[in-house]
């Protein structure tokens, strides 16, 4: 074994890296541990049945620490992730740990110290196919092919600085693994950096070539986990660009800082290119998405609250080509608003940790390359139609949602404060509610199959493949139960001073003297100010004039002014109500578990009715237990009913009140709603 000498500026003893052994020792080790997979890592076998076999790599590394001494590790990368096996002096395996491919987001390989600026600028030293390589960044050409020389190619290798000593090349692998701080604590995602040091050869170029081989193997394995819509149809199969819409007024008004500090680093580590647009006014997202060509982007990410996501959904469904766009465009959300019901629902459905680091979990979901069909509800008002993804409310909860805007600076706590106020000053509303029950004998996927089949006729074949896969039962619920214990901390380093350099540093967000500002990160992403682009302003004005023209799927219900047919099974509830709330996600907010049985694409609207006459203690118990999801009765009682429906109509008899759609106030009056199963696609964790 060779012990690493402690050099000035070297990492602390608690931080470890795995270093490849010297050429002689490595060959001896490989002779002892050669396996078919190890041999296949040297060259792609002819006629291999497994397409990933030629991309599996393995080697022998060792750690060097003052306190724990040196240990030899067998490291293997394959389709499942990294497998690290610690050997005893006799050659037997004494400990094994696996870092799953689903937890890994990306990697960088580079020279230490002087060339560390490559990490700061986002350039991977070995990525010729990387759209963020220095050659491509300098030219601004995002469509360059893999012929552009990389930092470790022959044409550019001589440009690297030389420190005249260490010829090592380093590969940094970024992962976000599930961990527990203690037995009583909850699981959480923690950033982890696996550092592999290559110094088997005498020259830096040869060591970097070996690190490059591992990097490209990992990149290939990661791209195998992506759905087709997230990968550009190019030779190097780079990630497609992401459209980010940021609302600076969401929640407490810190969406800019949240995105810059917590989301941008994750996008950079995953090498996901993105274009950032900051909204300037209400309905900006509707105007943007209903008029712009969206072919350059694979997904739209809302950095804000549920209100911004509502605008995104409605903007897409106001397009004439909505049937072509929706199957090819996934939707994501970074929770920066007050409620954040959708982000919480996605995390809950896939058993992902949320409360410890909600923004981190959402950012990892955005880069996951996975999506699921999501139900959207068509809402018809007297003057227009719109689309909803979260809820429709009338009564108590809607009153709290809208009236608490006057204390918005309190953030999410404003809902609690105003709920207590409204509970003391309780209101009731008179109206008529008609509904069509869901057929419980039909599964969620069967109930959606008719509509999905109709839409597949308008979709491409490649998209149909993913729709069919995601409609399977595996996509309905996903459990992430594996996590990385603390006992393997001697192999993997956490947030060291070297690793901190990968946290991208962006230039100023706003340039006062220009109408468009840019900054470049690892993903060569662009910030757009859009203060007064004449082209966009003209398109937006035209869109405003034609907003009443409705696109999207046609309604199967009678017109709102027509009576409901009695022979189709419509049921009626009429009288005084404290509230009516229709929900199709599990959560209305981060701690409001309103519909525990809801799923993203079950084709069901959960209609909750509370009649007048309920006592304040009963109502307080209902509201208090919403955080745990135990507020709904197992059977109907005199005051509370839970009805799984596929359509309903609300006809208020009063001439006052508040009606909300996705937490946004709409015109007061009659409305009707119907579920459109699986019409949209939302990004979900791996």
């Amino acid at each position: 074994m060779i012990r690493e000498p402690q050099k000035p500026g070297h990492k602390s003893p608690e931080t470890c890296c795995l270093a490849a052994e010297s050429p002689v020792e490595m060959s001896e080790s490989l002779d002892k541990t050669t396996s078919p997979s190890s041999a296949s890592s040297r060259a792609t076998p002819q006629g291999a049945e497994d397409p990933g076999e030629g991309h599996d790599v393995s080697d022998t590394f060792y750690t060097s620490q003052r306190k724990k001494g040196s240990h030899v590790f067998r490291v293997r990368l394959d389709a499942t992730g990294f497998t690290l096996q610690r050997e005893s002096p006799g050659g037997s395996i004494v400990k094994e740990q696996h870092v799953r491919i689903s937890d890994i987001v990306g990697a960088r390989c580079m020279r230490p110290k002087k060339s560390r600026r490559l990490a700061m600028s986002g350039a991977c030293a070995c990525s010729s196919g990387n759209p963020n390589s220095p050659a491509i960044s300098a030219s601004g050409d995002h469509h360059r092919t893999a012929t552009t020389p990389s930092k470790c190619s022959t044409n550019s290798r001589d440009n690297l600085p030389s420190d005249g000593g260490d010829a090592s090349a380093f590969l940094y692998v970024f992962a976000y693994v599930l961990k527990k701080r203690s037995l009583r604590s909850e699981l959480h995602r923690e950033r982890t950096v696996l550092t592999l040091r290559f110094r088997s050869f005498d020259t830096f170029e040869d060591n970097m070539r070996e690190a490059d081989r591992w990097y490209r193997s990992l990149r290939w394995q990661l791209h195998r986990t992506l759905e087709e819509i997230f990968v550009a149809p190019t030779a190097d199969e780079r990630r497609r660009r992401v459209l980010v819409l940021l609302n600076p007024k969401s929640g407490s008004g810190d969406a800019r800082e949240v995105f810059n500090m917590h989301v941008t680093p994750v996008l950079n580590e995953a090498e996901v290119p993105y274009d950032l647009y900051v909204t300037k006014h209400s309905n900006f997202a509707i105007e943007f998405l209903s008029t712009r060509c969206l072919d350059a982007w694979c997904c739209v990410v809302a950095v804000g609250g549920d209100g911004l996501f509502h605008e995104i959904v409605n903007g897409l469904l106001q397009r004439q080509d909505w049937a072509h766009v929706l199957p090819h465009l996934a939707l994501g959300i970074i929770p920066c608003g007050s409620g954040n019901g959708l982000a919480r629902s996605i995390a809950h459905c896939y058993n992902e940790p949320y409360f410890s680091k909600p923004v981190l979990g959402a950012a990892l979901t955005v880069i996951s390359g996975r999506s699921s069909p999501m139900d959207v509800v068509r809402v018809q008002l007297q003057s227009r139609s719109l689309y909803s993804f979260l809820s429709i409310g009338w009564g108590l909860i809607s009153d709290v949602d809208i009236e608490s805007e006057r204390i918005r600076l309190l953030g999410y706590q404003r809902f609690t404060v105003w709920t207590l106020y409204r509970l003391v000053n309780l209101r009731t509303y008179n109206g008529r509610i008609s509904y069509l029950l869901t057929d419980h004998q039909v599964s969620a996927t069967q109930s959606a199959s008719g509509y999905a089949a109709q839409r597949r006729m308008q979709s491409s074949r490649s998209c149909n493949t993913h729709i069919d896969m995601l409609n399977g039962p595996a996509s309905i619920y996903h459990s992430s139960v594996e996590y990385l214990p603390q006992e393997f901390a001697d192999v993997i380093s956490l947030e060291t001073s070297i690793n901190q350099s990968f946290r991208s540093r962006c230039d100023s967000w706003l340039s006062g003297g220009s109408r468009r500002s840019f900054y470049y990160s690892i993903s060569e992403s662009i910030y757009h100010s859009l203060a007064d682009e004449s082209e966009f302003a003209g398109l937006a004005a035209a869109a405003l004039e034609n907003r009443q023209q409705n696109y999207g799927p046609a309604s199967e219900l009678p017109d709102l002014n027509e009576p409901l047919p009695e022979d189709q099974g419509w049921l009626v509830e009429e009288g005084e109500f404290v509230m009516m709330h229709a929900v199709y996600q599990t959560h209305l907010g981060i701690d409001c578990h309103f519909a525990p049985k809801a799923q993203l694409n079950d084709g069901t609207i959960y209609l909750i009715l509370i009649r007048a006459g309920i006592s304040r203690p009963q109502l307080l118990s209902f509201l208090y237990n919403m955080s745990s999801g135990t507020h709904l009765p197992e059977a109907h009682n005199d005051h509370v009913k839970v009805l799984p429906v596929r359509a309903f109509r609300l006809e208020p008899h009063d001439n006052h009140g508040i009606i909300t759609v996705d937490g946004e106030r709409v015109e007061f009056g009659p409305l009707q709603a119907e579920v459109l199963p699986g019409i949209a696609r939302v990004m979900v964790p791996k």
Side-chain angles (χ1 to χ4, degrees), residues 648-664:
F648 71 91
R649 175 181 287 185
L650 168 65
E651 298 170 284
H653 294 335
D654 301 319
N655 57 3
H656 66 279
I658 295 176
I659 296 178
T660 58
V661 176
D662 296 343
E664 302 296 321

Side-chain angles (χ1 to χ4, degrees), residues 404-565:
S404 64
E405 288 283 345
R406 64 192 68 179
I407 55 173
R408 190 179 186 88
L409 291 177
L410 295 180
Y412 190 76
Q413 295 302 320
R414 67 185 174 99
F415 298 117
T416 303
V417 173
W418 208 262
T419 296
L420 296 175
Y421 171 77
R422 186 48 58 204
L423 188 63
V424 174
N425 302 277
L426 192 61
R427 299 169 179 165
T428 59
Y429 300 93
N430 190 14
R432 175 188 176 96
I433 301 171
S434 308
Y435 55 90
L436 282 174
L437 287 174
T438 301
D439 186 357
H440 294 286
Q441 304 300 321
V442 181
S443 64
T445 53
Q446 289 175 333
S447 64
S449 62
Y451 188 82
Q454 179 182 357
R455 291 189 62 251
R456 274 199 288 266
M457 297 296 292
Q458 302 171 337
S459 307
S460 67
R461 182 175 301 177
S462 60
C463 181
N464 293 340
T465 303
H466 291 293
I467 292 178
D468 294 337
M469 293 172 59
L470 289 166
N471 277 334
S475 66
I476 296 177
Y477 187 84
H478 175 77
S479 177
S480 300
V481 296
E482 299 183 23
Y483 60 94
L484 193 66
Q486 292 288 348
E487 64 180 12
F488 219 72
D490 59 336
V491 179
I492 297 178
S493 57
L494 301 178
E495 295 286 26
T496 66
S497 58
I498 287 183
N499 300 330
Q500 287 283 5
S501 66
F502 292 101
R503 294 296 182 184
S504 63
R505 299 188 299 186
C506 301
D507 295 334
S508 174
W509 275 64
L510 296 175
S511 176
S514 64
R515 60 189 180 92
R516 175 179 291 185
S517 304
F518 300 88
Y519 70 81
Y520 294 91
S521 65
I522 288 179
S523 301
E524 199 186 28
S525 305
I526 304 174
Y527 166 79
H528 301 263
S529 179
L530 281 182
D532 43 24
E533 289 188 5
S534 57
E535 178 185 0
F536 177 75
L539 292 173
L544 284 174
E545 295 178 0
N546 300 321
R547 280 186 62 191
Q548 303 306 323
Q549 184 176 3
N550 295 314
Y551 296 106
S555 174
E556 297 181 358
L557 301 179
D559 190 77
L560 188 59
N561 298 321
E562 298 177 0
L564 296 172

